[in-house]
Amino acid sequence: MAELNLKQIIDRLNEEFTGDTRKLVFWYDDKGEFVEDMASVELENAKVYFLQPDNQFYTKYFLERVDLTTNYLIYAPFPKPDVKDNHLEDTMLYSKRFFADRASLLSVDLGIDEKYKPIIEKHIKFFANKERTQRFYDLEIENFNEENILIGLLSSICKTRTCSFEEVIRVILTDGELQDNKFLTEIQKYDLLDAFWKLCEQHFGYIDVKPTLERFVVTLFVTYTAKYISSELPKAWKSFVSYKSGNIIAFIDNLMNSVLYREKYDELSDFVAAGLGAVNAFKDYLPEELLNCDTFLCIDQILVKWIVDRLLAEDTGAKLDGLSIPEIAAKREKMHFGARSGRTYRLLTSAYHIVTTGTFNCPDGFAAILAQYRAEDYKIDQAYRNFYYEFDQLEDATAFERLRDLVENIYTNEYLDKLLPKWNAGLQEGDSLTKLPVQIDFYARNIRNARERTVVIISDAMRYEVGQELFRLLSDDPKCTAKLETQLSVLPSYTRLGMAALLPHKQITMTDDYQVLVDDVLCDNLAGRQNVLQKYLPNSICVQFDDIKGLKKNELRDIFTGKQAIYVYHNQIDARGDKANTEDEVFVACKEAVAEIIDLIRRISTNANTYHFIVTADHGFIYKRDKLTESDKIGGINDKKAFVNRRFIVAPEAVQEDGIAHMSMGTVLRNQDRKMVSFPISSNVFKVAGGGQNFVHGGSSPQEMLVPLVEVKMERGHMETKNAEIALVSMVQKITNKITMMDFIQSEPVSDTVKATAYKIFFISEDNEKISNENSYIADSREPNAQKRIFRMKFQFKDKKYDKDKQYFLVVYDENTGLESFRHPIIMDLSFADDFGFGF
């Protein structure tokens, strides 16, 4: 950094007098700041000649007649006279002038051409501070001109690390307020405010008689909006549209996509939307005109209202721009405001799948019912669960109450009320219990002949559709191979009997007081179950999930070492659902259960050298949000000898009433037990005192009796995987349009060896200047058809001059690593006017 001191001046003067040619250098020290110092200065290859205001003629005579060989520094401790009063003017034409003012020293030190020195002089106050001056030096500007000197000064004030006006604007908008902005105050302090607004015009096309930061921001957002709505802007907005749309789009894209600045973008967006009355401005627009625009959150609110209205009208075929409701929701969730509106779009997608159930048709016959449920119908239960999972987390769900009522009505009356009677009719078929593997054969089929250590995770009340979600998430893990099967639980489908069925046994019996025995051993607790398991498999153990979830590596390994089978009992769903005060949290518990099991599998496989897992359940459940009415309850059951539950009754005799089916316990347990289990053929319940009403199990329905069996094999060691790559479909060589659409393809589908990868795609110059907006894309398609993995991106280029002889590139960066994946050279055959000028 330049320092105005005598040593620096002497060093520079000595540099002036190098060489063999005689040199004369004139130094007019306007304020005589160095007159005392120069009296004692000795130069290496020159003498100091003191010029006085009244000895100019003699000096001319001396230099041109008396001494024609010596190098002289002609030092004048006063300002240079006007030409008409200066007898040395012609001598100075073949001599050189030296300047020792701060502006001159800075110009020389930085390599700034003398013609730009007036800019430095005008803003010399800026350089009075060493730290501020150092920041200017640290920008390492190579080629100084009028524009980048000014941008450098602004960059130093805003403490950016590069000389970039876009960075200046970004800092001003994200680290300051729109009113009384601290950076603009500093800019004005150093007489740079006019230059700042001129640069705003040059870079962003913002022109205003009385420019303000608020109106500048409005210009940015309105111009960006104009490019993404497929109709004209509101009339009141048109005056804000800039002619530099390319630069604005690139800037706004970068701001909204930045992890660091996206929250500030939201604040600015909300400010502009409120100031312009965006909600009212867009209320009469067609939804498809707004589909591609994500400038303001209110656009999502408009689209959400449209979707809600369509769903309430049960218009499930409605489309916008060829996109169905789930496709619209998926598109908008991936756009900028997806972080704030994603929950709502996921809710609407789930609601859509429920509403389409209004045309639900259940086949006849148990085998057909099973096949359809496992292929499609489970998705209805999953959609219902996901709907309430999102609904319950909304801060204000008032706008969705009517939709919730519709979802509840269709789920109960159009789905459950059609499915359950046919299910129970099919269950009465003589061979119904042979259509699927049954829970009572679990140990014999899966554990008895297992060749490797196996962990059995039994998640209480994990019904089939929750297990399917677990399976799907495990399948996304490249180190995991997962297989999903279905088991038919025992009936009644409740914990004591279901847990017993999963153990090895010769016989399972239910006593007359309804205790469940396995080989005559009571196993309604952990000790009883372990007792039974170890009789068949001595090197085995039963543990509670809660007892091992926090164990350290060595502690976990000690439990598993030497064991052939480990039964882990996990109780997240049933524990929450079976309590009246927490039953409405059961769908949250389902999500947590899935996450806990995945985490447990990964920890055990990593820390306990165990790689084979089976996840299953004792039973499933039915949950309906609306409180049961009296008509949903079956009363009049007063048999004190019976085992009465909300969804079943076990008694010596069957309950003989309409709407109730029954089956012998001997059929279920494969013994001679003559007790009968009776159960509603609908979702109705028996009237029982106490407990909750929304979460029930024990009866006969796919939701209660179909339980998952997820077999998981974790890879030993590290599995080699690679990123899903993307490439251009056709190799573009030249860009001739300011707005360009380009097609890309995901090279391979995502699989266990190809992992989903997020990319950023944009254009740069050979100097690494970003010249387009930045697109983000997640390559996560599992589609085997290559044509269906093609996607399109739109690029808008900055308004600037492009040199056809220079190189430009399309670049793709891996978002996770920040590394460049590939670059493709292109020629920019575009021309934009450069109308920058300050009149210096």
Side-chain angles (χ1 to χ4, degrees), residues 178-400:
L178 293 182
Q179 293 184 345
D180 300 323
N181 185 274
K182 62 183 179 180
F183 296 105
L184 286 194
T185 300
E186 285 289 293
I187 288 169
Q188 186 172 27
K189 179 178 177 181
Y190 300 111
D191 198 20
L192 286 162
L193 195 57
D194 288 343
F196 171 80
W197 292 121
K198 192 74 173 180
L199 284 163
C200 286
E201 177 184 347
Q202 164 65 17
H203 286 253
F204 297 103
Y206 172 63
I207 304 173
D208 211 332
V209 176
K210 293 183 178 180
T212 66
L213 209 52
E214 294 97 323
R215 291 178 64 85
F216 172 66
V217 170
V218 171
T219 295
L220 296 181
F221 277 80
V222 169
T223 304
Y224 187 86
T225 302
K227 291 298 178 179
Y228 288 102
I229 61 170
S230 58
S231 62
E232 289 191 359
L233 285 173
K235 290 182 180 179
W237 294 24
K238 290 183 178 180
S239 62
F240 290 102
V241 176
S242 164
Y243 63 94
K244 295 279 190 177
S245 60
N247 289 5
I248 288 175
I249 288 172
F251 177 80
I252 291 291
D253 269 342
N254 294 336
L255 192 66
M256 69 162 60
N257 292 325
S258 168
V259 174
L260 295 174
Y261 305 124
R262 62 185 309 159
E263 289 186 5
K264 188 63 180 183
Y265 170 88
D266 289 0
E267 291 180 23
L268 294 171
S269 174
D270 291 345
F271 166 79
V272 174
L276 293 176
V279 174
N280 288 329
F282 287 131
K283 67 179 181 180
D284 295 326
Y285 277 63
L286 296 174
E288 52 262 46
E289 295 174 332
L290 305 173
L291 184 61
N292 295 311
C293 183
D294 61 349
T295 318
F296 307 111
L297 181 63
C298 68
I299 291 175
D300 285 289
Q301 294 166 345
I302 291 168
L303 293 172
V304 164
K305 184 180 184 304
W306 178 85
I307 294 174
V308 170
D309 289 344
R310 300 278 59 76
L311 292 177
L312 289 174
E314 299 186 42
D315 181 11
T316 56
K319 293 187 175 183
L320 293 179
D321 198 24
L323 299 180
S324 66
I325 288 174
E327 289 170 335
I328 294 166
K331 175 186 176 73
R332 296 299 302 188
E333 187 180 350
K334 291 178 181 178
M335 295 174 76
H336 174 72
F337 285 106
R340 292 167 69 178
S341 61
R343 171 159 286 124
T344 298
Y345 283 119
R346 292 191 294 273
L347 176 149
L348 294 174
T349 299
S350 298
Y352 169 88
H353 291 303
I354 297 294
V355 173
T356 58
T357 308
T359 58
F360 175 72
N361 180 45
C362 182
D364 294 314
F366 201 61
I369 294 170
L370 286 172
Q372 181 170 302
Y373 187 85
R374 294 168 68 194
E376 294 295 332
D377 292 350
Y378 78 87
K379 297 176 184 177
I380 300 170
D381 294 307
Q382 203 168 70
Y384 183 80
R385 172 169 62 86
N386 288 332
F387 174 84
Y388 275 109
Y389 177 79
E390 305 296 351
F391 182 88
D392 289 342
Q393 295 184 71
L394 294 174
E395 291 184 10
D396 183 2
T398 306
F400 303 101

Side-chain angles (χ1 to χ4, degrees), residues 106 109 220 222 308 344 366 384 402 490 588 777 829 835:
L106 286 166
D109 199 39
L220 296 181
V222 169
V308 170
T344 298
F366 201 61
Y384 183 80
R402 288 179 60 208
V490 290
V588 174
Y777 184 75
D829 192 11
D835 54 0

Side-chain angles (χ1 to χ4, degrees), residues 444-708:
R445 291 181 65 248
N446 299 283
I447 307 301
R448 183 167 61 194
N449 299 318
R451 296 182 179 180
E452 58 184 322
R453 178 159 59 221
T454 302
V455 177
V456 178
I457 302 173
I458 304 169
S459 186
D460 202 331
M462 178 177 278
R463 65 186 185 182
Y464 178 78
E465 60 89 4
V466 180
Q468 194 280 339
E469 181 174 305
L470 171 68
F471 161 74
R472 177 174 54 81
L473 293 173
L474 286 169
S475 298
D476 289 338
D477 186 342
K479 294 183 179 180
C480 168
T481 301
K483 182 172 68 174
L484 174 64
E485 294 183 356
T486 316
Q487 288 191 138
L488 189 65
S489 80
V490 290
L491 186 65
S493 51
Y494 76 113
T495 299
R496 276 187 292 175
L497 193 58
M499 292 296 185
L502 293 168
L503 291 168
H505 58 269
K506 290 184 176 65
Q507 63 175 1
I508 299 177
T509 56
M510 180 179 282
T511 66
D512 290 342
D513 60 352
Y514 308 109
Q515 296 294 315
V516 177
L517 306 179
V518 177
D519 297 344
D520 297 325
V521 176
L522 182 64
C523 55
D524 59 355
N525 58 37
L526 192 69
R529 293 166 191 166
Q530 180 167 288
N531 186 10
V532 171
L533 182 62
Q534 288 180 346
K535 284 183 180 180
Y536 288 83
L537 203 61
N539 296 326
S540 61
I541 191 173
C542 293
V543 297
Q544 294 285 1
F545 168 82
D546 288 343
D547 292 338
I548 66 169
K549 66 180 180 181
L551 293 184
K552 297 177 182 178
K553 180 176 181 178
N554 291 337
E555 296 170 330
L556 199 61
R557 185 171 292 177
D558 288 343
I559 291 175
F560 283 73
T561 299
K563 301 298 188 295
Q564 183 63 23
I566 302 94
Y567 272 45
V568 179
Y569 293 92
H570 176 260
N571 190 12
Q572 175 69 265
I573 300 170
D574 200 63
R576 204 95 61 98
D578 258 348
K579 296 176 183 177
N581 62 332
T582 59
E583 64 177 344
D584 285 350
E585 299 173 14
V586 67
F587 289 158
V588 174
C590 289
K591 292 284 186 185
E592 292 175 1
V594 168
E596 287 176 351
I597 291 170
I598 291 174
D599 179 67
L600 180 66
I601 289 173
R602 288 174 178 164
R603 285 198 305 112
I604 291 175
S605 64
T606 302
N607 298 326
N609 298 322
T610 303
Y611 308 101
H612 186 224
F613 302 83
I614 294 176
V615 183
T616 190
D618 50 349
H619 58 80
F621 66 89
I622 288 179
Y623 174 89
K624 295 187 294 182
R625 176 54 60 91
D626 280 356
K627 299 298 181 184
L628 295 176
T629 63
E630 286 302 308
S631 64
D632 297 322
K633 299 176 184 178
I634 303 169
I637 309 299
N638 298 313
D639 189 345
K640 294 182 179 180
K641 296 180 181 180
F643 177 16
V644 182
N645 186 281
R646 291 192 183 280
R647 286 286 292 161
F648 67 87
I649 294 174
V650 182
E653 302 291 335
V655 177
Q656 301 293 338
E657 290 191 17
D658 290 341
I660 297 175
H662 49 79
M663 182 179 291
S664 73
M665 288 304 303
T667 301
V668 176
L669 300 177
R670 297 174 181 169
N671 60 25
Q672 302 305 310
D673 193 339
R674 294 186 177 182
K675 290 189 286 294
M676 301 297 292
V677 54
S678 302
F679 45 87
I681 63 172
S682 66
S683 60
N684 289 348
V685 300
F686 293 111
K687 188 178 290 186
V688 178
Q693 297 183 1
N694 296 51
F695 174 90
V696 293
H697 63 84
S700 175
S701 68
Q703 293 79 10
E704 294 164 288
M705 292 186 69
L706 292 183
V707 294

